[in-house]
Amino acid sequence: MDTAIARQRLEEMRGELDKSITVLQGEQTAGQAGTDSPQDPADVGTNLSETDRVQAMLAAARQQLRAVLDAILRIDHGTYGTCADCGGPIPEGRLDARPEAARCVKCQGKRDRGR
Ligand SMILES: [Zn+2]
């Protein structure tokens, strides 16, 4: 995989994630502000799940952003495309689908199961 192309894609992903995080943070603040104001008790449940949803999306976006930033660092260090666990090469097809991937499919699978 050409790291120049990977970097470009990662920078684009970083820009998108930055935007989503800003929007989600705005929604989160709006949701929190809303809990102080008097409201119909019937709406409380809806607002709570909405806040939970925003928080879950925010957490996922931040995690993704961290993965993207890590991948950009790996390009800087010349270790991009190398599995962080076994040191083997990450297949190009995987990097094409997920430019931020830090591990080969096998090691990522092990890690996901370990959770
Ligand atoms: Zn591996």
Side-chain angles (χ1 to χ4, degrees):
M1 161 137 250
D2 190 339
T3 52
I5 294 169
R7 183 189 292 271
Q8 199 183 340
R9 286 187 59 192
L10 287 161
E11 292 287 356
E12 275 170 27
M13 287 167 79
R14 173 159 80 159
E16 292 295 317
L17 286 164
D18 272 341
K19 254 186 270 173
S20 316
I21 288 170
T22 306
V23 170
L24 288 168
Q25 274 172 338
E27 280 182 33
Q28 195 183 30
T29 312
Q32 278 163 355
T35 56
D36 289 337
S37 55
Q39 54 185 233
D40 191 325
D43 288 339
V44 175
T46 325
N47 286 348
L48 271 181
S49 61
E50 174 68 12
T51 308
D52 283 349
R53 190 185 65 86
V54 169
Q55 259 169 359
M57 283 171 69
L58 196 53
R62 282 188 175 134
Q63 201 177 3
Q64 175 89 354
L65 180 62
R66 211 173 303 136
V68 167
L69 293 177
D70 280 352
I72 293 172
L73 274 179
R74 285 197 300 278
I75 293 175
D76 289 340
H77 295 159
T79 57
Y80 185 75
T82 304
C83 175
D85 284 358
C86 70
I90 302 175
E92 201 155 310
R94 174 163 170 75
L95 288 173
D96 205 38
R98 292 193 54 190
E100 80 282 18
R103 290 172 188 85
C104 66
V105 180
K106 215 170 118 191
C107 293
Q108 189 62 56
K110 265 189 228 166
R111 204 159 260 259
D112 289 346
R113 277 197 301 276
R115 259 176 220 154

